[in-house]
Amino acid sequence: MCKILSRAEQSRAEYIDIYRSFGIILMVMGHIGFGIYFDHFIHAFHMPMFFFISGIFFKVNQGMTFSSFVKKKAKTLLIPYAAFGLFHYFVWLVQHRSAMSLEPLKCLLFVNTDGIPIAGALWFLTAFFFAELIYFAIRHCIKRMLLQNISIVVISIMGCITTLILPFRLPYAMDASFVGVGLLHIGYLVQNNVIKNVRNIYHMKYYEWIILVAISMFLIFTNGYVNMRTGTYAIIPLFWINAILAIIIGINLSKYLERSLLKSVHGFLLFIGRNSIVYLCLNQLIILCVRKTIRVVGLPLITTKISIFVIAMILLSLCTYVIINTRLKVFLGK
């Protein structure tokens, strides 16, 4: 059984929050749109990394039952999903007053990998919720590590091929959850050094991970387009290799930056990483508003996109600060 580490415990590994902030920054840039090559690159790893991180903080706890775990995760993941989903639906209704429709609400309540109004990224919250529940159940019900590994491999493969064999999508991004279970498990195995000396990958020399960057870039662009939301993995073995290589690189880079960043930049990245759920839930609405405003100015395309990114990150940080320091934090399950 498991528990999620407290913030005090997580603070001993601030590089993980820095790493999480990179995933959020890449997500925001992806939603703004910096070209097909950038999109191809980030989708190879920027969603898988969050499942991996969760595996890092998975700990055995004999005092937690499955029902208490479900309640805990429902509070921190499903409440934000419902609250921000309904909020964006009402915003969408205001935008489309002449074309009232329940279709976006149906997408929010059922198959949420497409058609969610404005905040399409919310699919991740249900995928994350079910991945953690499945992983918890496996660790709780299956005692032998070999059988755990076999079960997780089977589930992960099912997640990768579900969209290839079924004529419909599973509800609540369940196929992405199956893939997430495998990533969770890899994060757990690495963090707990289950394979002897495997944690040495967190302590690579800078020239080693720079070489790994070149290899990773080559393999990512050798593979086809990947997108966990749509259940697209191209060459499946390459998806797994690329995701893990990029995660290793990202963690090593984060450990390096943890020691070398200016204090103000370090603090800003920690703030993003520790409040990533707000950025995930609000970024597309903020981007939409900023884009409509910036477009009036008539700047060159790349300047426009950079401006949208900078302004959106500032506004997202301000919104986050307000939410976490007021009663609005109830929408985060707090």
Side-chain angles (χ1 to χ4, degrees), residues 88-100:
H88 284 91
Y89 175 61
F90 289 125
V91 173
W92 184 89
L93 287 177
V94 172
Q95 281 185 299
H96 301 83
R97 290 185 297 274
S98 61
M100 300 284 283

Side-chain angles (χ1 to χ4, degrees), residues 211-228:
I211 293 171
L212 208 58
V213 167
I215 296 171
S216 178
M217 292 286 286
F218 173 77
L219 292 177
I220 285 173
F221 287 103
T222 296
N223 197 16
Y225 180 71
V226 167
N227 191 324
M228 287 190 72

